[in-house]
Amino acid sequence: EDEIILFEREMKEFWTKLKNIYGTEQINQTSALRDSCKESIKALSEKWSKKLKEGDLMIDKIQEYSNEILQQSQCIPENQEHLTEIKSNLNQEEEQKKNLTDSIQELKEELMKKKEIISSKNKATKERVERLCKSKVLFEERLGLEIRRIHNEQLQFIFRHIDHKDPDKPYVFTLSINEQGDYEVTSCTPPLDCIAEFQLKVRETNNFSAFVANIRKAFTALSYK
């Protein structure tokens, strides 16, 4: 635009000089040429001005797209890092879930085994108690013994006719079967020093009749002291 203004000023100066030198006809022809030239220059100027504005808009748009692409490019590493973190957390949670499932399965299997062991022990204990109860009549008739089932699946053995001075005086011991399935004397009245020995022997021989007979003999020997 500055060049156009400069060009117009030079054209005016040229026209003034030309007017002073040449005649009216030549001036008119030159004036027409000048006007035509000015119109051409004006049209060309408008055209290029429009092109420049369009170029500026395109540059602004390109710059806007470039900034947007740059922002998105800057977000890619952050998103990638976040995605990696999420994947890592998912893998850890999956591993924890697997470990928890395995632990639960192990606990279930261990619980089932313990239930089976407890059930087997309970069954064996009940069978022993039942066998002892079936021997009740035999012991009562031959040894003057009364057997009672008391709490916690224990058996109470009551001997009478031991003390000749007091035939009805009771001599009592209580028997249970412990967690290992062995006979265990939990109480003895009056106390016997040899009860631990008898208990150990019945665990070794499993001869329960001899065990009861030996305790009765010990009670009898105690009555004479």
Side-chain angles (χ1 to χ4, degrees), residues 151-169:
H151 60 280
N152 296 331
E153 295 294 332
Q154 297 186 96
L155 293 179
Q156 190 178 65
F157 295 77
I158 305 171
F159 294 96
R160 301 183 191 278
H161 306 299
I162 289 180
D163 190 347
H164 61 281
K165 296 178 181 179
D166 186 3
D168 291 332
K169 180 181 178 180

Side-chain angles (χ1 to χ4, degrees), residues 33-76:
L33 180 61
R34 184 196 64 177
D35 292 340
S36 175
C37 184
K38 287 179 66 177
E39 290 295 327
S40 297
I41 292 173
K42 182 178 179 182
L44 184 61
S45 176
E46 291 178 352
K47 179 179 179 181
W48 281 108
S49 177
K50 183 178 180 182
K51 291 289 184 181
L52 287 174
K53 290 181 180 179
E54 291 177 353
D56 290 339
L57 291 175
M58 183 174 293
I59 290 173
D60 292 339
K61 200 66 175 178
I62 291 173
Q63 186 63 39
E64 182 180 349
Y65 288 154
S66 298
N67 293 336
E68 184 177 352
I69 292 173
L70 179 61
Q71 291 178 357
Q72 292 179 357
S73 298
Q74 292 175 348
C75 292
I76 287 175

Side-chain angles (χ1 to χ4, degrees), residues 20 63 109 141 169 187 215:
N20 293 330
Q63 186 63 39
E109 292 176 357
E141 291 177 354
K169 180 181 178 180
S187 65
I215 292 180

Side-chain angles (χ1 to χ4, degrees), residues 120-132:
S120 178
K121 287 183 177 180
N122 290 339
K123 183 179 179 182
T125 301
K126 288 182 179 180
E127 289 176 354
R128 285 191 176 187
V129 172
E130 290 298 329
R131 287 199 299 268
L132 293 176

Side-chain angles (χ1 to χ4, degrees), residues 197-212:
E197 180 183 350
F198 293 160
Q199 179 176 270
L200 180 60
K201 190 171 183 179
V202 73
R203 290 178 181 178
E204 294 175 351
T205 63
N206 204 30
N207 190 340
F208 187 75
S209 298
F211 170 70
V212 176

Side-chain angles (χ1 to χ4, degrees), residues 179-197:
E179 294 182 356
Q180 289 72 34
D182 298 325
Y183 294 111
E184 183 175 351
V185 177
T186 56
S187 65
C188 182
T189 307
L192 294 173
D193 295 336
C194 56
I195 195 69
E197 180 183 350

